[in-house]
Structure formats: C-alpha cells, structure tokens
Amino acid sequence: MFKSLQDMALFALVAECGSFTAAAQKAGLPKSSVSHRISQLENSLGIRLLNRTTRKLNLTFAGERYLVHCREMLTASERADHAIQRLRQNPSGRLRITSPAGIGATLLARMNARFQEAYPDVTLDVSVSDDMRDLVLEGFDVALRTGKPQDSSLIGRLIGHCPRYLLASPDYLARSPALTHPADLTSHRCIAHKAWTEWVFHREQTWYRCVLTNQHRTDNLLYARECAVAGAGLTLLPTFLLEDTLTRGVLTPVLPEWQAEGNDLYLVYPSRKLNSPALASYIDFAMAFDDIKDFYPG
C-alpha cells in the first residue's frame, strides 16, 4: 500500500514534468529507477498510463483519469501536513492526567488553571485519586506522583522535593503524653497514609525509623489532615497541604528538632519520543512552573 502511494506521487511528478529525466532530477532518483517504478505501477494496475516516444511522454485516457486521483491524494497529504503544523503551533486535543488527591487539590489545580490560560484549546480530563493508576492500560497521558516511578517503561522527571512535618492539634497535645523522641510515637494515636507504614526521622547524623502500631490508616492525606485538625491524633503532612493551618494554629509542629523524611514529586509519562503537541507543551509548562516552588522548595 505505502509503495503504491509513493508510486502514485511519482507518476504525478512525471506527468507534471513531462519527462522521466526532469522527474528523476526533481525526485533525486536515477532516471532508470523512475521509469522502472512507473512500469511496475502500470503492471500492477493492468493498464498503460503513459505513451512513451523517444522525444516525449503523453498521458493515455486512463492516465488522465488516474492523475486526477493522484493529485487528490497529494492534496490530502498536504492538508494533513498543514493540520499537524497548525497543531504544533497551537496545541489542542485532550490530555488525561492523574494525580494523588492531596496534590490534585492544591498544586495540580493551580498549575492546570495557568496551563489552560496559556493553551485554551487543550481539554483536560483529570483523575484525582490516591489509587495507583496504570498510565498505559488506562490511557492516561501524564501523572504527578510522589517518588520515582518503579516501572522502567515510564519516564519520570523530578519536579521538586517536599519536606514533611509531624503535626497535631493543640487540643490533642494538651490531653496526651509529652513527646521528647520519635520513640514516644508508639504510645500515641497516629493517622498515617497507607503508603507510609513507617515514619523516618533524623536529627543531624542520627536517624530513627518508627514502625507504626497504633495507627489510624487512610489512603487520603486530606482526610488525615482534617482528622488531625479535629484532634484525632498525630499525622505526617507534606508542605503543600499545610497552607494556613500553622498560622491559624489549628495544627502545631511536634518534635521540631527531628526532621521527617520528605518525598520527591515526579512528572511521569509513558514515552520520551513523538509526544503529541498538547502533551509536549504540558510537560514543558510543568517543568517550568515557578509556583511549584511554593509547594516543593528545594
């Protein structure tokens, strides 16, 4: 099929030039190759397209009719090229994006709002869920994820590093045993994300890994934050979910001399090559998004 389309284009070029020699020069092919391919085309069609003499070429009646369709094919090809060029210059179409709930409700929402100001013809279809989605199987174009992707078939580009803080409400701390070391967490109620079964802290060169036993588990950090605000226990939250909770005093840092292990934010997508103009624009926009530093300093 593809060779036939190429031969149709070559036939149209021969008809336009009026000779094999001129067509060969324009196509950058040997004259013998052009003549041979036109003969093969005629044989495959079972009809002569050109009358050849030593001095010139003439189209047969069949050749004249065939040329009309060859030119239509070339015109369609040019229209397709122009459409792709316009798409590159003005990205459009749909992008499917997935993100954890905490990031989706904060950073992603603000970033996507700015993106759509810059690229109004791109439609965004966003799934905000703490479930790990399969980008390829479920047809997602791009994801924001904490932690480097384990799947080697996915491209992961580091956007930033986010600190996490151990927090509790003043009410909970007032009615609970004092904490002087991460080991004291075993006697407290902890609200933990199911992805973090252990909390890791360090102070200078000293590291402590806390295996949570008396924990209240969830798959949603927003839920964990609101439980902590309501006095249900201690929780570990990333910077982007704190907003004004500290300034309003609804949450208070706990063990501030111990730094909790943070996490990295990655932009993840299935392929590095031949991405759509919409996806390529989104990747470039996300990597250059300055406001991300408000959430992920470092």
Side-chain angles (χ1 to χ4, degrees):
M1 171 61 78
F2 295 111
K3 184 176 183 303
S4 177
L5 294 175
Q6 291 175 333
D7 289 344
M8 289 173 70
L10 191 58
F11 168 72
L13 182 61
V14 170
E16 174 191 331
C17 295
S19 76
F20 288 124
T21 300
Q25 290 174 346
K26 200 165 186 179
L29 295 171
K31 177 184 174 182
S32 58
S33 296
V34 174
S35 177
H36 179 67
R37 286 177 59 176
I38 298 302
S39 295
Q40 284 186 318
L41 178 62
E42 291 176 321
N43 289 335
S44 67
L45 294 172
I47 195 168
R48 182 177 293 278
L49 301 174
L50 294 167
N51 287 318
R52 301 162 174 80
T53 69
T54 56
R55 308 185 74 176
K56 67 178 195 175
L57 300 174
N58 289 317
L59 293 174
T60 64
F61 176 75
E64 291 175 353
R65 299 296 299 270
Y66 193 64
L67 180 60
V68 171
H69 296 289
C70 291
R71 284 174 172 164
E72 288 176 352
M73 180 201 70
L74 292 171
T75 299
S77 176
E78 289 175 359
R79 285 200 301 266
D81 287 344
H82 291 157
I84 293 299
Q85 185 60 35
R86 288 195 299 270
L87 194 60
R88 287 198 184 101
Q89 295 170 351
N90 184 31
S92 61
R94 185 186 71 164
L95 280 181
R96 296 195 67 216
I97 304 166
T98 180
S99 163
I103 298 172
T106 52
L107 171 63
L108 182 63
R110 300 180 190 190
M111 185 169 72
N112 283 354
R114 301 287 85 78
F115 177 80
Q116 290 221 287
E117 288 178 3
Y119 299 94
D121 293 331
V122 177
T123 301
L124 301 181
D125 182 349
V126 182
S127 173
V128 175
S129 170
D130 282 322
D131 291 335
M132 184 65 72
R133 311 298 293 270
D134 189 312
L135 268 63
V136 176
L137 186 63
E138 299 184 57
F140 285 102
D141 298 293
V142 64
L144 265 71
R145 288 183 177 167
T146 54
K148 189 173 183 179
Q150 299 301 307
D151 188 341
S152 61
S153 67
L154 298 175
I155 306 302
R157 298 182 64 180
L158 179 65
I159 291 181
H161 177 80
C162 183
R164 292 188 293 171
Y165 298 94
L166 184 63
L167 304 160
S169 70
D171 173 66
Y172 174 82
L173 293 174
R175 53 185 168 82
S176 301
L179 290 100
T180 58
H181 189 276
D184 297 332
L185 289 170
T186 56
S187 61
H188 281 262
R189 282 182 286 171
C190 298
I191 308 153
H193 193 283
K194 66 179 184 180
W196 302 330
T197 57
E198 298 179 337
W199 288 353
V200 180
F201 301 88
H202 69 91
R203 182 175 60 184
E204 297 178 350
Q205 301 304 314
T206 302
W207 290 81
Y208 186 85
R209 185 179 301 273
C210 180
V211 180
L212 302 174
T213 55
N214 185 25
Q215 60 175 305
H216 176 169
R217 296 183 66 192
T218 178
D219 64 356
N220 190 301
L221 286 175
L222 292 170
Y223 171 85
R225 183 186 67 185
E226 294 310 304
C227 281
V229 169
L234 297 123
T235 194
L236 202 58
L237 293 176
T239 307
F240 62 83
L241 284 182
L242 300 185
E243 297 185 345
D244 61 347
T245 55
L246 296 179
T247 57
R248 289 190 295 119
V250 295
L251 289 177
T252 300
V254 179
L255 298 174
E257 67 277 15
W258 287 85
Q259 175 62 57
E261 187 177 49
N263 55 17
D264 295 328
L265 178 66
Y266 282 82
L267 193 70
V268 181
Y269 46 97
S271 176
R272 194 183 299 274
K273 297 179 180 179
L274 300 178
N275 289 319
S276 71
L279 177 55
S281 298
Y282 190 85
I283 292 169
D284 291 343
F285 186 89
M287 296 304 298
F289 188 58
D290 288 338
D291 290 355
I292 203 168
K293 296 179 180 60
D294 295 336
F295 296 86
Y296 274 76

